[in-house]
Amino acid sequence: QKKPLTHSVYDNWKGLGERIISNNGKYVGYTINPQEGDGNLIIEELSNLKITQIPRGYNVVFSYDSKFAICKIKPVFEVIRQAKIKKKKADEMVKDSIAIILLGTDSIIKIANTKSFKIAEKNGQWLAYLSEKPIADSTKKKLPDSLKIKIDALVKLTDSIIKISLDSVKGNIEKQAVIAAAQKAANEIYKNAKDAVQDADDDNSTNEKNTDGTDLIVQNLETGNKKIFKPVSEYIFDKQGNTLLIKTAKATKDSNSKACILLYNLKTSIVDTIVKGFNDAKNFTFNEDGSKVVFVAERDSATKALQKIYKLWYHQSGTDTAIILAQQSSKGIPQKNTISSDADLKFSKDGNKLYFGTCLIQKPKDTTLVDFELAKLDVWTYKDDYLQPQQLKQLAQEQKRSYVAVIHLDDANKIVQLGADSLENITLVNEGNTNYVLAQSTTGGRVSSQWQGRSISKAYIIDSKTGAITFIGDNFLERVTASPMGKFIYWYNPVSRNYFTYEVQNKSIKNITNNIKVPLFDTQYDQPDYPDNIAVTGFTENDIDILINDEFDIWKVDPTATKTPINITSGFGRANKTSFTYLQTDIEKRFFNTNDTILLKSLNKQNKHAGFYSLQLNNPLKLTVLNSGAYSLSNPIKAQQVNQYLFTKSSIAAAELFTSNNLINLTRLTNIATQQYEYNWLTASLYKWKMFDGKMSEGLLFKPENFDSTKKYPIIFYFYERNSDLLYNYRAPAPSASTINIPYFVSNGYIVFDPNIYYKNGEPGQSAYNSVVSAAKALSKMPWVDSTNMAIQGQSWGGYQVAYLVTKTNIFKAASAGAPVSNMTSAYGGIRWTTGVNRQFQYEKQQSRIGATLWQRPDLYIKNSPLFAANKITTPLLIMHNDADGSVPWYQGIELFTALKRLNKKVWLLQYNGEDHNLVERRNRKDLSVRLSQFFDYYLKNAAPANWIINGVPATQKGISWGLELAE
């Protein structure tokens, strides 16, 4: 007999974390971490599966040359826990370390008290890491002057004694030599003592002055040689690893100290100061080969100026100092604009252009106004693009808004402003090399997003040399994108359900998929809006062809619409009900060569099997299955230099890490599933049934590992929308953020069923009834289902459906609804406080699926609202709705609770203080998990009730008792 899972297993339950593979494919790194506590970083050599463990290691990277691995090491979990209990300050907490692992050996060097580290992207020789201020430094005291006097006196006394000794043994050469050696040793000892005293003084002086930076250590990994810079606040390698830029901090208590920007040449060890003295400098960016660097800096002599004006600085190899490349007064910068300190800086790939941002000069705050005398309010108006809550949520972003400009470094540093208020979204084309940018603007098309859920946009091409604007089109509902080489602009039109291109050279627009007769959109889409397109796999070289996905297959399409589209997967996907997704294993690959073989991931829509396929793009076309079966697969990570892959392969029984050089022959690297062997685990299978409307549906059926078909099991129906494609996903026992933990309940003698739900517009509630209740009726006929002990549970949209179902049926003995919308008439005009947006679009166009306004079809809003049928509820209902819910207004749960309380129905409301839509705090997740099990055990297993179920938890007992003990 295997034991059932308990709530105590959560903290120690382990799972895969980060994972990485070296460029040469010989080493992999991955973490295996408990849900709470100390994990392990594993470095594994694939040729012999030799393992090196780094306790508490994380954020591992491999050097470019695959010779070293570097990682951070967390402090011991219990040490941090105790420090928090003692309420230690941040600078008193134990800090991270780093470890340097020489791959293929047992050599591990650990360095304590490190804040961060970096290695160059294309150079494996150099490591830089920034130290923390050791805890001892903040408390170190200078040695008392009296002690220093005594040490000095001791040194002098010793010198005298030795001198006298030497005088007394003149002529005795042997003794003289011995004493001379003693004198030398004593002097060295006392010299070190004096140096220690001086170092203590210097360290304390440094700690008093340098509060904005710490020591930066630059280490040659090959030789071990180090160079220290202090005090440093920021550092960055160029991509090739030839130069390290270092930003030093100003000593806050030294008026003569100045912050500097240094360039450390890693080949010659020469350090150049390119700027000295500034208040702020940031956004450091190298070009591709590292020969140029740009940044913005502010050097106002009044360090507390209310209005900070930044300038754009530039340095090129071979010059002594950085120069000002652009500033507020530069030709080409619009009046009332200045250099943005928040915009990204980006060189074109060829290094000839630099893209930066300008922004309006902000009016300084009037310091003569007194805050407590000023009115504080928000003014809402019908003319606003966005409602005030959304504006306030976006305030920080808007205050940092900038508009793209370009400097032509190959044309006398000519500046051209590209972006503007009505051209706010700029995209570089062909990595910035092309002499135009793509602009898309929602100006004038934002108001309707309140009820449509998306803005309407216009698209333009802007000449980066002249600033000339060419109009492409308007009324775009989706994003427009440029082809890799910039010959075409393309987009999907959800109204016509086709793809279109705009040919830049001749300005012609073409429907390029009109001849494809199969849907290029999601045919299962069931919301009252245009269905989503499937995907674009990419372009072939020189923008010759675009690869477009339908629901199953991939098509090669001519962007000029001259040639007939070709199904390059030869209809295999549709014939076998298998969809394909392109796997990009090289993040720098921008297009396909005509002779490329690309990697695809498959999903069979009927049996849910996953697989890897290869597809040759050249003639003859060839689709080859590499691996396929009853499991799910993660997207593989590929070694940069060889065909070696790292990925997870999962089922309900396990989620393990695998490697392969061909994705055919697989090697398992982990065996984490051993942790569950002592527990009664679960199985998962597809179950299909006919719904009340006569259509077939399917869902996921979870049974205990020790399932006995001769027994009857209580059953819980958990649902959201459609989850059957997740059949082979691994599910770990974990404290619940909002929904039942399926492994826990199944291990403890329940069956859990997750049915797909299919919707009709205007009937979301009845659609749930058609799907869920029909499933309950079908399964209740099974001899192993206890039809007298069935329950339902869901969160958010699932919570709404639970609340609706208990108004329509009493076949469920208990129900739990998390964050349910109970009154669509009040929720319709509410705010999603996380984003500040209005909820109208959800009902008219998206998930709530009403498809009309409240004033057009008030009957549908009332019909689908559980609140208006609260008097019909007889099922005991447990509601969770938290007071900081930013998705479903908290008052929705309150409306339902107060109605049922008024009607004397059995209802409970769990309100976790300060929590959002789903629980974040682990302590609260643990609490909810216990309450869900206590609630369903009480109603479905006739278990003894917990005190909170019978007596609640009065406010007078808050923080004293949680009511989890059994009621007396």
Side-chain angles (χ1 to χ4, degrees):
Q1 283 291 330
K2 292 185 176 182
K3 58 187 178 182
L5 291 166
T6 66
H7 298 298
S8 65
V9 306
Y10 300 146
D11 288 350
N12 290 323
W13 202 268
K14 296 178 179 62
L16 280 169
E18 61 190 78
R19 60 212 74 170
I20 190 172
I21 189 167
S22 63
N23 288 338
N24 65 5
K26 293 182 178 180
Y27 301 92
V28 297
Y30 54 92
T31 57
I32 298 177
N33 299 321
Q35 294 178 21
E36 187 173 282
D38 297 322
N40 273 311
L41 167 65
I42 311 296
I43 305 294
E44 188 159 357
E45 189 171 355
L46 296 182
S47 62
N48 55 20
L49 301 183
K50 179 183 176 182
I51 283 177
T52 299
Q53 291 197 48
I54 311 295
R56 306 182 310 283
Y58 73 109
N59 279 6
V60 62
V61 295
F62 288 116
S63 60
Y64 181 71
D65 56 11
S66 302
K67 293 181 179 179
F68 296 90
I70 301 95
C71 70
K72 298 192 79 173
I73 300 176
K74 296 178 183 178
V76 175
F77 176 83
E78 186 58 28
V79 172
I80 295 295
R81 180 175 176 272
Q82 290 300 323
K84 289 179 179 178
I85 291 172
K86 295 175 182 177
K87 297 183 179 179
K88 288 190 175 183
K89 296 179 181 178
D91 60 355
E92 296 176 323
M93 302 291 278
V94 181
K95 307 300 182 182
D96 280 0
S97 304
I98 64 170
I100 304 170
I101 302 100
L102 178 59
L103 298 173
T105 74
D106 295 326
S107 173
I108 302 174
I109 299 172
K110 296 180 181 179
I111 303 165
N113 294 316
T114 52
K115 187 180 295 184
S116 64
F117 75 86
K118 294 178 183 177
I119 60 173
E121 184 179 343
K122 299 288 185 180
N123 187 323
Q125 193 173 4
W126 295 97
L127 164 70
Y129 56 93
L130 199 61
S131 67
E132 290 274 8
K133 292 181 180 178
I135 297 173
D137 285 358
S138 63
T139 58
K140 188 184 292 183
K141 304 295 183 183
K142 292 184 180 181
L143 293 176
D145 290 339
S146 60
L147 180 57
K148 289 191 286 182
I149 292 171
K150 290 179 180 179
I151 291 176
D152 289 338
L154 182 59
V155 171
K156 291 176 182 178
L157 178 61
T158 304
D159 287 343
S160 299
I161 293 172
I162 293 175
K163 185 176 181 182
I164 294 170
S165 299
L166 287 173
D167 290 342
S168 67
V169 292
K170 283 181 179 179
N172 190 331
I173 298 175
E174 185 177 353
K175 287 185 177 181
Q176 184 178 0
V178 171
I179 294 175
Q183 180 188 31
K184 182 179 179 182
N187 283 340
E188 186 68 25
I189 291 169
Y190 290 115
K191 179 179 180 298
N192 289 339
K194 291 172 70 177
D195 289 345
V197 172
Q198 186 60 50
D199 287 345
D201 287 342
D202 291 344
D203 284 349
N204 280 280
S205 175
T206 299
N207 287 334
E208 289 176 358
K209 292 177 181 179
N210 300 323
T211 58
D212 297 329
T214 56
D215 294 354
L216 177 72
I217 297 87
V218 184
Q219 180 172 340
N220 186 313
L221 292 171
E222 295 282 355
T223 66
N225 294 338
K226 300 177 183 178
K227 186 174 180 63
I228 300 175
F229 296 87
K230 62 172 66 177
V232 173
S233 58
E234 192 172 349
Y235 60 107
I236 179 174
F237 284 102
D238 77 297
K239 187 174 183 179
Q240 305 304 323
N242 297 322
T243 306
L244 179 66
L245 181 145
I246 301 167
K247 173 184 167 184
T248 67
K250 180 181 182 297
T252 56
K253 292 189 178 182
D254 184 352
S255 59
N256 295 320
S257 172
K258 292 185 178 180
C260 298
I261 297 171
L262 313 176
L263 288 181
Y264 178 32
N265 188 312
L266 297 166
K267 291 183 176 179
T268 65
S269 298
I270 294 174
V271 180
D272 290 321
T273 302
I274 61 171
V275 174
K276 187 173 185 179
F278 53 84
N279 300 318
D280 188 27
K282 56 185 178 179
N283 300 352
F284 303 101
T285 306
F286 283 99
N287 69 336
E288 187 71 15
D289 64 11
S291 62
K292 303 170 184 177
V293 65
V294 290
F295 53 93
V296 295
E298 185 269 319
R299 303 179 76 186
D300 197 303
S301 57
T303 58
K304 294 185 179 180
L306 296 174
Q307 194 176 48
K308 296 187 181 297
I309 303 298
Y310 285 80
K311 297 176 182 178
L312 182 62
W313 292 76
Y314 170 79
H315 180 268
Q316 186 168 5
S317 296
T319 60
D320 293 333
T321 60
I323 62 171
I324 296 173
L325 195 60
Q327 56 186 315
Q328 180 184 345
S329 58
S330 297
K331 183 180 179 180
I333 303 294
Q335 286 189 355
K336 300 182 180 180
N337 276 29
T338 189
I339 306 300
S340 170
S341 63
D342 297 301
D344 291 335
L345 305 178
K346 187 173 181 61
F347 285 98
S348 58
K349 186 79 169 181
D350 59 19
N352 294 328
K353 292 190 282 291
L354 171 66
Y355 298 90
F356 66 104
T358 68
C359 61
L360 288 173
I361 299 172
Q362 297 295 320
K363 183 179 178 180
K365 183 179 179 180
D366 188 345
T367 58
T368 64
L369 299 176
V370 182
D371 283 348
F372 66 78
E373 294 179 347
L374 302 176
K376 293 186 177 181
L377 78 164
D378 302 322
V379 179
W380 301 37
T381 171
Y382 69 97
K383 293 185 178 181
D384 289 342
D385 278 350
Y386 302 116
L387 293 175
Q388 275 288 316
Q390 187 174 355
Q391 291 184 47
L392 292 171
K393 285 291 183 181
Q394 296 173 352
L395 180 59
Q397 175 185 336
E398 288 300 319
Q399 289 174 333
K400 295 179 179 180
R401 181 172 290 282
S402 60
Y403 302 104
V404 175
V406 63
I407 296 179
H408 293 267
L409 301 172
D410 59 349
D411 187 9
N413 295 338
K414 176 183 177 182
I415 298 174
V416 180
Q417 182 68 49
L418 303 173
D421 271 339
S422 58
L423 298 166
E424 72 274 21
N425 297 312
I426 301 291
T427 305
L428 305 188
V429 179
N430 190 18
E431 300 182 291
N433 293 340
T434 302
N435 286 324
Y436 78 85
V437 296
L438 177 61
Q440 192 166 7
S441 174
T442 58
T443 302
R446 299 168 183 158
V447 175
S448 60
S449 65
Q450 179 178 327
W451 55 89
Q452 290 185 342
R454 53 184 163 190
S455 299
I456 301 170
S457 64
K458 304 179 181 69
Y460 309 86
I461 282 176
I462 306 175
D463 190 300
S464 62
K465 287 189 172 181
T466 66
I469 301 173
T470 302
F471 179 70
I472 297 175
D474 55 12
N475 294 320
F476 290 104
L477 298 177
E478 303 285 350
R479 182 184 176 188
V480 298
T481 309
S483 59
M485 301 306 295
K487 294 182 179 181
F488 299 92
I489 309 298
Y490 67 96
W491 63 91
Y492 175 74
N493 185 326
V495 180
S496 67
R497 302 179 181 181
N498 276 293
Y499 288 87
F500 291 78
T501 58
Y502 172 89
E503 194 165 359
V504 174
Q505 186 173 3
N506 60 29
K507 301 179 181 179
S508 62
I509 294 178
K510 300 285 179 62
N511 182 334
I512 62 172
T513 55
N514 192 48
N515 291 328
I516 297 178
K517 301 307 179 184
V518 296
L520 302 174
F521 54 88
D522 180 6
T523 59
Q524 298 296 311
Y525 192 84
D526 55 11
Q527 298 179 10
D529 198 1
Y530 304 114
D532 296 328
N533 63 310
I534 302 302
V536 172
T537 287
F539 273 80
T540 59
E541 57 190 321
N542 206 28
D543 295 349
I544 297 298
D545 294 301
I546 180 173
L547 307 184
I548 296 175
N549 295 55
D550 68 27
E551 281 187 297
F552 300 104
D553 291 297
I554 302 175
W555 297 77
K556 183 168 72 173
V557 180
D558 177 9
T560 68
T562 303
K563 296 179 292 186
T564 301
I566 299 173
N567 187 322
I568 60 174
T569 48
S570 304
F572 176 90
R574 187 165 295 276
N576 293 277
K577 295 296 183 288
T578 298
S579 64
F580 291 106
T581 304
Y582 167 61
L583 295 170
Q584 184 172 2
T585 54
D586 181 355
I587 60 173
E588 294 186 353
K589 190 174 184 67
R590 298 171 50 235
F591 52 80
F592 304 113
N593 297 319
T594 54
N595 62 347
D596 274 350
T597 297
I598 66 174
L599 183 63
L600 304 174
K601 187 164 77 170
S602 67
L603 175 65
N604 185 298
K605 294 292 187 177
Q606 293 179 317
N607 59 22
K608 315 305 178 185
H609 289 189
F612 291 132
Y613 283 72
S614 65
L615 174 65
Q616 294 181 11
L617 297 181
N618 60 350
N619 228 354
L621 302 176
K622 187 177 181 183
L623 179 69
T624 304
V625 58
L626 305 174
N627 211 295
S628 181
Y631 38 75
S632 65
L633 296 164
S634 70
N635 292 351
I637 305 168
K638 179 184 175 295
Q640 193 175 102
Q641 299 164 351
V642 296
N643 287 333
Q644 190 71 40
Y645 302 89
L646 186 67
F647 55 94
T648 56
K649 178 181 171 185
S650 305
S651 69
I652 196 64
E656 305 290 0
L657 191 63
F658 286 76
T659 187
S660 175
N661 62 0
N662 55 16
L663 296 177
I664 299 172
N665 303 311
L666 311 184
T667 300
R668 189 177 69 181
L669 300 178
T670 61
N671 194 16
I672 306 172
T674 55
Q675 67 185 328
Q676 67 206 36
Y677 290 169
E678 62 183 296
Y679 297 102
N680 181 28
W681 199 238
L682 69 161
T683 64
S685 60
L686 275 181
Y687 177 81
K688 300 186 179 185
W689 79 100
K690 185 180 289 186
M691 297 184 292
F692 292 143
D693 63 4
K695 296 180 180 178
M696 293 299 297
S697 186
E698 62 185 13
L700 303 179
L701 183 62
F702 301 96
K703 297 177 182 177
E705 184 181 16
N706 64 352
F707 175 75
D708 183 346
S709 62
T710 65
K711 294 182 179 179
K712 284 188 176 292
Y713 293 84
I715 185 169
I716 300 176
F717 293 83
Y718 161 78
F719 42 84
Y720 190 76
E721 290 196 357
R722 292 196 292 272
N723 292 322
S724 63
D725 284 353
L726 308 180
L727 171 64
Y728 293 109
N729 280 22
Y730 178 77
R731 290 166 170 81
S736 170
S738 55
T739 63
I740 59 169
N741 180 255
I742 293 174
Y744 171 84
F745 277 93
V746 175
S747 181
N748 280 272
Y750 288 88
I751 287 175
V752 174
F753 187 63
D754 181 356
N756 278 2
I757 301 176
Y758 298 91
Y759 299 93
K760 295 178 181 177
N761 290 340
E763 299 181 7
Q766 194 59 31
S767 297
Y769 182 91
N770 176 50
S771 300
V772 177
V773 179
S774 65
K777 294 285 189 181
L779 281 167
S780 65
K781 297 177 182 177
M782 297 297 169
W784 32 266
V785 169
D786 184 353
S787 62
T788 64
N789 285 299
M790 300 193 298
I792 49 177
Q793 200 275 330
Q795 161 72 9
S796 191
W797 181 240
Y800 156 71
Q801 294 173 109
V802 167
Y804 178 89
L805 290 176
V806 293
T807 69
K808 298 297 181 183
T809 181
N810 60 2
I811 67 170
F812 301 112
K813 202 170 182 180
S816 172
V821 165
S822 61
N823 182 358
M824 288 190 174
T825 67
S826 59
Y828 171 76
I831 299 293
R832 295 178 67 95
W833 293 107
T834 299
T835 57
V837 302
N838 185 250
R839 293 172 53 83
Q840 291 176 354
F841 70 93
Q842 294 177 234
Y843 295 88
E844 297 180 38
K845 295 292 184 181
Q846 294 186 9
Q847 188 176 56
S848 299
R849 295 176 171 88
I850 298 299
T853 67
L854 178 60
W855 43 92
Q856 288 171 331
R857 294 298 305 271
D859 58 313
L860 294 181
Y861 284 83
I862 294 172
K863 173 185 175 182
N864 286 284
S865 295
L867 184 67
F868 294 97
N871 60 315
K872 297 180 180 179
I873 296 176
T874 60
T875 305
L877 180 64
L878 174 62
I879 303 169
M880 182 194 79
H881 213 150
N882 306 317
D883 51 19
D885 194 322
S887 299
V888 176
W890 178 36
Y891 56 75
Q892 287 294 311
I894 294 174
E895 286 190 47
L896 184 57
F897 176 82
T898 54
L900 293 176
K901 183 177 183 296
R902 164 71 176 81
L903 293 165
N904 199 30
K905 304 288 186 178
K906 292 180 179 179
V907 63
W908 298 260
L909 173 61
L910 303 178
Q911 172 211 330
Y912 290 92
N913 303 160
E915 284 277 22
D916 203 337
H917 192 56
N918 293 288
L919 297 177
V920 174
E921 294 283 349
R922 188 171 177 84
R923 55 185 173 175
N924 292 333
R925 291 183 173 193
K926 289 179 178 180
D927 182 89
L928 176 62
S929 298
V930 173
R931 294 185 197 276
L932 284 172
S933 63
Q934 288 179 337
F935 180 74
F936 286 122
D937 283 354
Y938 174 55
Y939 279 106
L940 274 62
K941 286 186 170 183
N942 200 29
N947 197 37
W948 68 270
I949 296 176
I950 303 301
N951 300 311
V953 180
T956 56
Q957 292 296 303
K958 185 174 180 177
I960 300 171
S961 172
W962 283 260
L964 297 174
E965 69 283 355
L966 296 181
E968 295 181 359

